[in-house]
């Protein structure tokens, strides 16, 4: 006997598949809109700054868990708001560039009005949460937001190669946000952490710009490799990586192990950067520099937490 299939089951399956596809698309759109990887990487320095402030003020995490939640939530919302507003403003550039053409602001999955309102709402909400920790933490967050959204995205990105220097300020203030939630930020440790992030972002961004030089050129974005070429960019990268060399020695209070490891990392990165003058494949080398920079900041700021854990102190 032949079994007759009920057509209603096929309709249910189609609805289920369609629903799953919509959820997957929504998740991918949100991940792209929030620039999830960038957002997460910027939260780590906030966490490190907060932890080190507790360490140097003899505070405990348990006694400050509520401040921690406010700090991480607030800073994450402010940074997310800034990144979303960057997507909103750069929709014309994102339409041209291959790596950004699938962002929901380009595809139309999210309206620009919605994206703008979401960016403003998250930014304001984050600043309010940070204000419940200290006003100083909220001020640092606002400086980062203003620099990224106004000075970088809306003013300098399309006009000047110094856009990288300007934009680096926004990422550099992140450890100050975490530290200032616990103690005043004029301590040598958060200041050096800020300097490290400021300098680090130059070779990191230059490596990305080299990898995507054709896209930036097509979009008419004034990135350094587009305007001055690869050799000039390589020289700049060597200078900035070299500027990182003395900074671990200002963090001697974190212990000899940290200073030694950080110095070895700096020397290794500098060696790899100098090798760029002898490479036959600039794109392969640029990708190597990108991977070096990503791992450098992740390892360094995680190491700062590890060497100050009670088990090692």
């Amino acid at each position: 006997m032949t079994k007759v299939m009920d057509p209603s089951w096929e309709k249910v399956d189609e609805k289920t598949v369609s629903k799953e596809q919509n959820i997957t698309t929504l998740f991918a759109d949100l991940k792209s809109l929030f620039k999830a990887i960038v957002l997460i990487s910027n939260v780590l320095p906030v966490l490190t700054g907060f932890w080190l402030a507790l360490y140097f003020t003899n505070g405990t995490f348990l006694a400050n868990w509520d401040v921690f939640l406010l700090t991480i939530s607030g800073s994450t919302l402010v940074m997310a708001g800034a990144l979303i507003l960057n997507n909103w403003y750069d929709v014309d550039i994102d339409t041209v560039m291959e790596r950004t053409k699938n962002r929901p602001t380009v595809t139309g999955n999210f309206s620009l009005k919605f994206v703008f309102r979401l960016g403003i709402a998250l930014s304001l909400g984050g600043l309010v949460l940070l204000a419940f920790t200290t006003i100083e933490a909220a001020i640092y967050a606002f400086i980062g937001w203003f620099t990224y959204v106004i000075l970088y995205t809306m003013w300098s990105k399309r006009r000047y190669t110094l856009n990288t220097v300007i934009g680096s300020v926004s990422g550099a203030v992140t450890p100050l946000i975490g530290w200032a939630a616990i103690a005043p930020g004029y301590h040598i440790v958060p200041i050096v952490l800020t300097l490290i992030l400021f300098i680090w972002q130059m070779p990191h961004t230059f490596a990305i710009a080299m990898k995507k030089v054709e896209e930036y050129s097509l979009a008419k974005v004034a990135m350094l490799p587009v305007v001055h070429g690869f050799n000039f960019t390589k020289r700049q990268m060597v200078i900035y990586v070299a500027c990182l060399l003395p900074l671990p020695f200002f963090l001697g209070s974190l212990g000899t192990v940290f200073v030694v490891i950080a110095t070895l990392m700096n020397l290794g990165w500098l060696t790899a950067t100098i090798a760029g003058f002898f490479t036959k494949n600039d794109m392969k080398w640029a990708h190597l520099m990108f991977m070096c920079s990503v791992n450098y900041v992740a390892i360094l700021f995680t190491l700062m937490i590890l060497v100050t854990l009670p088990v090692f102190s």
Side-chain angles (χ1 to χ4, degrees):
M1 175 182 270
T2 303
K3 186 175 181 180
V4 179
M5 296 295 295
D6 185 350
S8 63
W9 283 102
E10 293 183 5
K11 293 181 179 179
V12 171
D13 288 342
E14 289 177 359
K15 290 181 179 179
T16 302
V17 171
S18 178
K19 184 177 181 180
E20 290 177 350
Q21 289 176 340
N22 289 338
I23 293 174
T24 301
T25 301
L26 177 61
F27 180 78
D29 283 343
L30 290 173
K31 181 180 178 181
S32 178
L33 184 66
F34 283 85
K35 299 185 181 180
I37 297 176
V38 177
L39 182 60
I40 293 172
S41 64
N42 276 279
V43 172
L44 175 59
V46 177
L47 171 61
T48 302
F50 184 90
W51 175 264
L52 292 180
L54 290 176
Y55 175 78
F56 283 99
T57 60
N58 295 317
T60 64
F61 184 82
L62 290 178
N64 293 277
W65 67 269
D66 52 340
V67 180
F68 172 76
L69 292 178
L70 286 170
T71 303
I72 296 299
S73 299
S75 58
T76 301
L77 289 178
V78 172
M79 290 184 288
L83 292 169
I84 289 172
L85 290 172
N86 174 268
N87 280 344
W88 165 76
Y89 190 83
D90 278 351
V91 64
D92 57 330
I93 295 176
D94 291 344
T95 302
V96 176
M97 297 183 68
E98 183 68 24
R99 71 187 182 95
T100 56
K101 67 180 183 179
N102 291 321
R103 285 178 178 170
T105 46
V106 176
T107 61
N109 290 349
F110 294 157
S111 72
L112 291 180
K113 182 182 291 186
F114 167 77
V115 171
F116 175 76
R117 290 176 176 175
L118 179 63
I120 294 296
L122 293 180
S123 301
L124 291 176
L127 289 172
V128 170
L129 290 180
L130 286 173
F132 281 105
T133 61
T134 65
I135 296 300
E136 185 179 354
I139 290 174
Y140 290 136
F142 177 76
I143 290 173
W145 182 93
F146 182 82
T147 302
Y148 186 75
V149 176
I150 307 299
L151 299 183
Y152 170 69
T153 300
M154 296 184 179
W155 175 57
S156 65
K157 182 176 181 178
R158 306 172 190 229
R159 296 179 177 88
Y160 311 109
T161 56
L162 284 175
N163 59 23
T164 304
V165 178
I166 295 169
S168 293
V169 174
S170 59
V173 299
T174 48
L176 280 170
I177 297 172
W179 183 286
I182 295 296
Y186 50 75
H187 193 283
I188 184 64
V189 170
I191 292 174
V192 173
L193 264 58
T194 296
L195 286 173
I196 289 174
L197 283 176
F198 177 78
I199 296 170
W200 164 83
Q201 284 177 97
M202 307 301 182
H204 171 73
T205 306
F206 292 158
I208 296 174
M210 287 182 67
K211 289 178 62 179
K212 305 297 180 181
V213 64
E214 292 184 2
E215 294 183 37
Y216 279 119
S217 179
L218 185 63
K220 294 181 173 58
V221 179
M223 301 303 290
L224 195 65
V226 175
V227 178
H228 294 292
F230 281 7
N231 284 335
F232 185 85
T233 303
K234 290 177 182 180
R235 291 197 295 271
Q236 292 293 303
M237 292 172 75
V238 169
I239 292 171
Y240 281 114
V241 174
C243 286
L244 291 170
L245 288 173
L247 295 183
F249 297 95
F250 291 95
L251 297 174
S253 54
L254 296 181
T256 304
V257 171
F258 170 80
V259 174
V260 170
I261 294 176
T263 300
L264 291 175
M265 288 172 59
N266 286 339
L267 290 172
W269 192 9
L270 181 60
T271 301
T273 306
I274 294 173
F277 294 110
F278 308 98
T279 184
K280 295 180 180 179
N281 190 329
D282 284 331
M283 289 302 162
K284 184 177 180 180
W285 176 82
H287 181 69
L288 173 64
M289 287 300 95
F290 170 74
M291 295 305 299
C292 283
S293 65
V294 170
N295 285 285
Y296 175 88
V297 76
I299 293 172
L300 191 69
F301 278 77
T302 301
L303 182 63
M304 293 178 190
I305 295 176
L306 292 178
V307 297
T308 53
L309 288 172
V311 67
F312 297 114
S313 299

